[in-house]
Each structure stands twice: as C-alpha cells, then as structure tokens.
Amino acid sequence: MMDSYQINAVGPTLIAQQFASILKRTAAANQHLPVGCSRAAIINISSIFSSISETTRPFCLTYRASKAALNMVTKCAALQLAEDNVLVAGIHPGWVKTKMGGPNAKIQVEDSVSDVFKVLVNLGADGAGKLYHGGDGSVIPF
C-alpha cells in the first residue's frame, strides 16, 4: 500500500514542490499568455478510479486511495498556485494498452496521448483543481 502512495501521491507532491518556484517565474515571464498549459502548469495523471462519488465496485482499493490522495494534492496545489497564474489540474488518460493497462485495454497509447493533449490545450484558470477525462474533456467528480 505504501508503494502506491509514494508513487501516486508523495512523488507528484514532491515534484510539484520542487518545481513551484520555476513555474511561478515562468508564469510571470509569460504574462501575455492566458492561464493554461501554454503559460505554466502541473498536470497530474490520475484515474477515474479515484472518484469517490463514482465508485460502484470495491476493487483496487490501494490504487484508488492513492489516486484520491493525488486529487487532494492537485486541488490544494491549484489553490496555492492560482495567485501566481500556474494551472494545476488532473487528467484521466483512459484505460490504455500499456504494461499496467494490459492487452484488454481499450485505448492505444498514441490515441490516449492525442486525446489528452486536445483536452489540455483548452484548460484555463477555471479548470484548475479539477480532474478531467482525457477522452472527452468532461469533469470527473472527486
């Protein structure tokens, strides 16, 4: 269980803390750009499995809990960095054919990446602190 928390919540938290000052300077240097990924952003890879309100079956507890913790990190970082015009949000890339997703996954890596980028380019300040579905850009409730 602790491995999942270290990978999915602690690691991203420490990385965000280390890069915060660089992102603040980058956002300040790019004042001509709107708040978003083209200015300065932290995008955390989360999962639809992290949604407490969307949970209907009790499986993958450790993974789900660690990604729910990441969502809290995302929300808190979004609140902390908002005044510095740094966007912080989370994205669910879908069930992707990777080592973790396995051969039965529905989405090819290339398609997931393409879909995720389509969502990210449209995020602005009003998208901070939320979790988005990489396939269609909808907000996934925490």
Side-chain angles (χ1 to χ4, degrees), residues 1 5 58-67:
M1 183 174 220
Y5 276 93
F59 65 94
C60 300
L61 173 63
T62 300
Y63 178 76
R64 286 174 180 256
S66 68
K67 288 296 190 175

Side-chain angles (χ1 to χ4, degrees), residues 101-114:
N104 296 326
K106 297 180 178 183
I107 306 168
Q108 296 292 334
V109 171
E110 297 80 9
D111 294 331
S112 176
V113 171
S114 177

Side-chain angles (χ1 to χ4, degrees), residues 6 13 33-35 44 62 85 94 106 109 111-112 116 124 126 133-134:
Q6 288 184 343
T13 302
L33 295 172
V35 172
N44 289 318
T62 300
N85 297 305
K106 297 180 178 183
V109 171
D111 294 331
S112 176
V116 164
D126 60 338
H133 193 292

Side-chain angles (χ1 to χ4, degrees), residues 36-118:
C37 290
S38 61
R39 186 169 182 176
I42 296 170
I43 305 298
N44 289 318
I45 305 299
S46 191
S47 171
I48 198 166
F49 286 157
S50 68
S51 175
I52 294 168
S53 62
E54 297 293 308
T55 298
T56 59
R57 298 184 326 189
F59 65 94
C60 300
L61 173 63
T62 300
Y63 178 76
R64 286 174 180 256
S66 68
K67 288 296 190 175
L70 176 62
N71 292 347
M72 180 58 81
V73 168
T74 299
K75 180 66 177 182
C76 289
L79 293 169
Q80 286 178 323
L81 295 172
E83 68 184 33
D84 296 299
N85 297 305
V86 176
L87 172 69
V88 184
I91 193 129
H92 163 65
W95 187 19
V96 184
K97 289 185 181 182
T98 61
K99 184 177 178 182
M100 183 177 166
N104 296 326
K106 297 180 178 183
I107 306 168
Q108 296 292 334
V109 171
E110 297 80 9
D111 294 331
S112 176
V113 171
S114 177
D115 290 345
V116 164
F117 274 100
K118 288 175 189 172

